[in-house]
């Protein structure tokens, strides 16, 4: 971790009375955990500062983490330092008013395709943005304060973005930072129950997904979740999007895709893979992300089919040139 960057960020935060924290749209555990975790650390460490998260979006499944702040006047943004977490490009920042902030800091673990902030700390190989917040705290423990609540937010993002510490990018540091969070008093039994208990409708949808996914010749699995299916199972868009997770353990399928009809003419694509990189594919379809976890958007079934056949070609190429895939 780049401790020179963490030092510069801490210095910058010290210069401001108000810090506003931003994150990406369709907020997930990592960006919510990183923003709330950082906010809590700053509130504990600098009680005289105003630290705000104003986000027009929210994810129901993370509602147990509590609400964010109420909207504020533009003047508040103009005097504030903006800290954007877990967001690779400016276009993905959920609150467009971030642009009003006097200065911007970027803390992120996505490829740095859009260096939108004057002060940028990017660790592409890091398994989560929350790990970076934990590292920020760890590097300045003598000045910063952490409590069980802050640690819980951060630990949550580390767990969810690393697939419970399974995905590439997890290393010894990840577990050392996770240990630091656990030492601060995370109630893991409660947290895992909040995250992983399932509603019956979600289990029934999982059964449907496993009955109805398709598979290309070379091993790309895919699932379409149209509006009718979403209505039949009573799924929110987020719940429908979770369908991607049900395809992850199919032997021989090195890439899996979920197409979720957003109901506005667009189809959200979630892409996941083992061994092969799929972010290049996502970039060709208005998206991007990590080598093995990306997102994209298509606008009709033909485009979806084209994306699937490109995914198939990527898997074919990989299998032709490697013998160690499972
Ligand atoms: P998701 O399937 O939405 O969980 O996205 C997986 C990863 O890809 C996350 O790290 C996202 O930040 C990234 N991602 C998703 N959609 C996009 C997009 N349209 N552009 C760039 N990155 C994306």
């Amino acid at each position: 971790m780049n401790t020179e960057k963490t030092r510069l960020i801490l210095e910058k935060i010290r210069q401001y009375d108000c810090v506003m924290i931003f994150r990406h749209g369709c907020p997930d555990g990592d960006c919510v955990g990183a923003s709330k975790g950082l906010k809590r650390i700053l509130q504990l460490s600098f009680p005289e500062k105003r630290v705000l998260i104003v986000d027009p979006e929210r994810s129901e499944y993370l509602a147990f983490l509590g609400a964010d702040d109420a909207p504020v006047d533009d003047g508040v943004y103009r005097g504030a330092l903006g800290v954007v977490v877990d967001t690779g490009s400016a276009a993905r920042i959920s609150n467009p008013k971030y642009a009003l902030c006097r200065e911007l800091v970027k803390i992120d673990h996505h490829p740095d395709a859009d260096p939108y902030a004057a002060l940028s700390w990017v660790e592409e190989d890091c398994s989560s943005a929350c790990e970076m917040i934990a590292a920020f705290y760890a590097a300045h423990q003598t000045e910063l304060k952490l409590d069980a609540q802050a640690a819980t937010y951060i630990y949550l993002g580390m767990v969810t973005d690393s697939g419970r510490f399974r995905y590439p990018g997890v290393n010894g540091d990840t577990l050392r930072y996770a240990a630091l969070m656990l030492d601060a008093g995370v109630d893991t039994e409660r947290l895992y129950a909040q995250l992983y208990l399932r509603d019956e409708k979600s289990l029934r949808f999982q059964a449907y997904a496993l009955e109805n996914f398709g598979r290309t010749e070379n091993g790309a699995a895919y699932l379409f979740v149209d509006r009718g299916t979403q209505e039949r199972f009573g799924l929110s868009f987020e719940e429908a999007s979770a369908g991607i997770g049900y395809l992850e353990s199919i032997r021989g399928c090195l890439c899996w895709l979920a197409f979720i009809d957003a109901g506005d003419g667009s189809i959200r694509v979630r892409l996941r893979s083992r061994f092969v990189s799929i972010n290049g594919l996502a970039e060709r379809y208005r998206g991007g992300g990590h080598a093995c976890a990306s997102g994209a958007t298509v606008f009709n079934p033909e485009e979806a089919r084209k994306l699937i056949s490109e995914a198939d070609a990527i898997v074919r190429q990989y299998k032709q040139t490697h013998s160690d895939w499972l």
Side-chain angles (χ1 to χ4, degrees), residues 293-304:
S294 288
T297 304
V298 295
F299 286 97
N300 53 58
E302 290 70 48
E303 224 183 350

Side-chain angles (χ1 to χ4, degrees), residues 44-256:
L44 292 168
S45 313
F46 307 104
E48 70 289 356
K49 288 191 197 299
R50 198 173 177 197
V51 187
L52 298 169
I53 302 172
V54 179
D55 188 348
E57 296 190 31
R58 108 190 199 121
S59 291
E60 248 353 278
Y61 75 102
L62 297 170
F64 70 90
L65 292 177
D68 294 314
D69 296 290
V72 290
D73 293 340
D74 289 359
V76 178
Y77 289 85
R78 290 204 180 89
L81 173 68
V83 179
V84 189
V85 296
D86 193 36
T87 311
S89 61
R92 297 202 73 229
I93 302 173
S94 60
N95 181 350
K97 290 195 175 182
Y98 80 88
L100 297 174
C101 288
R102 201 185 303 164
E103 284 185 281
L104 276 185
V105 170
K106 176 183 189 181
I107 300 178
D108 188 34
H109 70 132
H110 296 94
D112 199 10
D114 177 9
Y116 53 77
L119 178 49
S120 199
W121 175 33
V122 175
E123 303 274 357
E124 267 187 46
D125 296 330
C126 193
S127 71
S128 64
C130 276
E131 183 177 330
M132 296 177 70
I133 302 299
F136 173 69
Y137 165 73
H140 305 283
Q141 272 184 74
T142 49
E143 297 146 277
L144 296 175
K145 293 195 172 78
L146 182 83
D147 65 359
Q149 192 183 340
T152 301
Y153 293 138
I154 295 167
Y155 187 77
L156 176 146
M158 296 181 76
V159 167
T160 54
D161 236 40
S162 68
R164 303 185 214 179
F165 303 112
R166 279 172 44 219
Y167 297 157
V170 171
N171 57 27
D173 282 337
T174 311
L175 298 186
R176 277 182 281 275
Y177 291 128
L180 195 59
M181 296 303 109
L182 290 180
D183 287 345
V186 179
D187 180 347
T188 49
E189 189 179 14
R190 185 161 192 83
L191 180 65
Y192 293 139
Q194 282 163 321
L195 281 174
Y196 300 123
L197 283 181
R198 307 274 303 274
D199 288 338
E200 199 177 312
K201 67 176 177 181
S202 133
L203 289 165
R204 292 196 190 285
F205 171 51
Q206 180 169 1
Y208 167 87
L210 295 176
E211 287 286 350
N212 289 281
F213 75 87
R215 179 184 177 145
T216 65
E217 188 185 343
N218 294 292
Y222 54 90
L223 174 72
F224 287 98
V225 192
D226 60 19
R227 297 298 289 173
T229 306
Q230 293 174 40
E231 278 159 27
R232 178 173 151 208
F233 290 98
L235 304 173
S236 66
F237 184 66
E238 275 167 25
E239 288 165 335
S241 300
I244 187 68
Y246 310 147
L247 305 181
E248 74 174 354
S249 308
I250 307 167
R251 191 181 290 281
C253 285
L254 302 190
C255 166
W256 51 106

Side-chain angles (χ1 to χ4, degrees), residues 92 110 268 270 272 286-290 293-296:
R92 297 202 73 229
H110 296 94
R268 178 184 184 201
R270 303 189 81 192
R272 300 289 185 269
R286 308 168 196 89
H290 306 282
S294 288

